[in-house]
């Protein structure tokens, strides 16, 4: 079974803090994704990585950056957290670009 | 820009009834369509993936159909159980990007 884990289930940070969200997958998948999910807006893609050190912007990359130094690990970075980044963050991975995406349990981030 | 719509937004049925969930999309040039289940406060679990060349896909009590030309997919869940209570999301793939619907929240009453 594919396992995607995220470093925290719940996180509370202050405005202006630098925030790191970590995601690890154990199936040697090429592709990894970061989404955020908000009521009324659904899931929106923040960033996508198709290989180590490779990334593509999604629909809402502003205010975020990513890092993929190892194949199994994909990090989402909020350089200076703001209250409008309070959300549920979901990581996913897939073996190929069009294959089934497997999701982690999510991190609920609150920025105060 | 791909728009994905799921109707109804919420559904409540008695146990044993069959469920019919609808998904429509505006751009028919898709590679595949996926159905996911999400329990409250949790991540998404993949249920079915239908390739654009397929008409339907089945797994146990779940059956999903795809009519690409009309931009529609339907997820059928036979003989619903209380454990089927969750939010069901459909997502369509245009290249590497998935576009998600807002979901249908299902409650199965015992």
């Amino acid at each position: 079974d594919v396992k995607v884990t995220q470093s925290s289930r719940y996180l509370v940070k202050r405005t202006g803090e630098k925030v790191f969200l970590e995601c690890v997958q154990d199936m040697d998948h090429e592709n990894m994704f970061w989404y955020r999910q908000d009521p009324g807006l659904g899931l929106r893609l923040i960033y996508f990585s198709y290989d180590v050190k490779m990334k593509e912007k999604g629909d809402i990359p502003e205010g975020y950056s990513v890092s993929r130094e190892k194949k199994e690990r994909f990090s989402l970075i909020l350089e200076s957290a703001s209250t409008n980044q309070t959300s549920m963050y979901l990581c996913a991975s897939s073996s190929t670009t069009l294959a089934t995406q497997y999701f982690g349990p999510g991190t609920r981030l609150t920025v105060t | 820009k791909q728009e994905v719509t799921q109707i109804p937004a919420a559904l409540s049925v008695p146990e044993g009834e069959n469920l019919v969930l609808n998904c429509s999309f505006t751009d028919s040039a898709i590679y595949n369509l996926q159905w996911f289940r999400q329990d409250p406060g949790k991540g998404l679990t993949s249920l079915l993936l239908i390739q654009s060349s397929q008409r339907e896909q089945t797994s146990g009590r779940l059956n999903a159909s795809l009519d690409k030309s009309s931009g529609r997919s339907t997820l059928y869940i036979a003989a619903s159980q209380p454990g089927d209570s969750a939010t069901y999301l459909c997502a369509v793939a245009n290249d590497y990007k998935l576009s998600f619907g807002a979901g249908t929240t299902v409650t199965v009453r015992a």
Side-chain angles (χ1 to χ4, degrees):
Chain A
D1 270 0
V2 176
K3 190 147 189 195
V4 180
T5 56
Q6 295 184 229
S7 51
S8 306
R9 291 300 311 277
Y10 301 94
L11 210 52
V12 180
K13 295 292 182 181
R14 298 282 183 111
T15 302
E17 277 193 79
K18 191 168 186 175
V19 182
F20 293 87
L21 302 182
E22 300 267 304
C23 175
V24 178
Q25 50 94 3
D26 67 355
M27 282 301 291
D28 202 36
H29 282 173
E30 301 290 332
N31 306 291
M32 296 187 76
F33 307 81
W34 275 107
Y35 296 89
R36 65 178 281 177
Q37 184 176 29
D38 300 287
L41 296 174
L43 273 91
R44 293 176 292 167
L45 181 66
I46 305 171
Y47 266 99
F48 157 60
S49 170
Y50 53 93
D51 201 351
V52 174
K53 297 189 189 292
M54 307 304 288
K55 63 187 178 187
E56 291 276 348
K57 292 180 181 179
D59 297 318
I60 50 163
E62 297 78 20
Y64 303 94
S65 61
V66 291
S67 172
R68 193 163 179 207
E69 297 295 322
K70 292 186 177 180
K71 192 175 186 180
E72 68 272 16
R73 190 178 297 268
F74 191 33
S75 301
L76 180 69
I77 303 154
L78 288 66
E79 295 289 343
S80 178
S82 63
T83 54
N84 63 13
Q85 292 179 310
T86 291
S87 186
M88 170 72 107
Y89 289 88
L90 293 162
C91 174
S93 73
S94 67
S95 56
T96 64
T97 307
L98 297 175
T100 296
Q101 290 189 20
Y102 295 90
F103 282 77
T107 295
R108 185 162 295 283
L109 172 67
T110 302
V111 183
T112 61
Chain B
K1 183 179 182 273
Q2 180 73 270
E3 301 284 344
V4 182
T5 303
Q6 291 187 248
I7 295 173
L11 192 56
S12 178
V13 299
E15 183 176 2
E17 194 163 299
N18 296 333
L19 286 163
V20 180
L21 308 179
N22 298 301
C23 172
S24 61
F25 47 95
T26 54
D27 181 356
S28 62
I30 66 169
Y31 289 96
N32 62 48
L33 183 145
Q34 298 179 47
W35 282 95
F36 294 90
R37 169 189 171 131
Q38 186 175 31
D39 293 292
K42 303 281 180 66
L44 278 64
T45 301
S46 178
L47 297 173
L48 291 167
L49 183 151
I50 313 176
Q51 300 292 352
S52 62
S53 57
Q54 295 178 307
R55 298 284 293 183
E56 65 179 320
Q57 190 70 255
T58 298
S59 175
R61 293 185 295 113
L62 276 59
N63 174 276
S65 66
L66 174 64
D67 183 344
K68 207 173 74 159
S69 60
S70 67
R72 292 182 191 172
S73 177
T74 303
L75 178 66
Y76 301 90
I77 303 177
S80 62
Q81 304 167 358
D84 294 328
S85 298
T87 297
Y88 292 83
L89 297 148
C90 74
V92 297
N94 297 94
D95 60 67
Y96 67 85
K97 291 176 67 170
L98 283 182
S99 299
F100 286 83
T104 295
T105 299
V106 171
T107 303
V108 180
R109 308 186 304 272

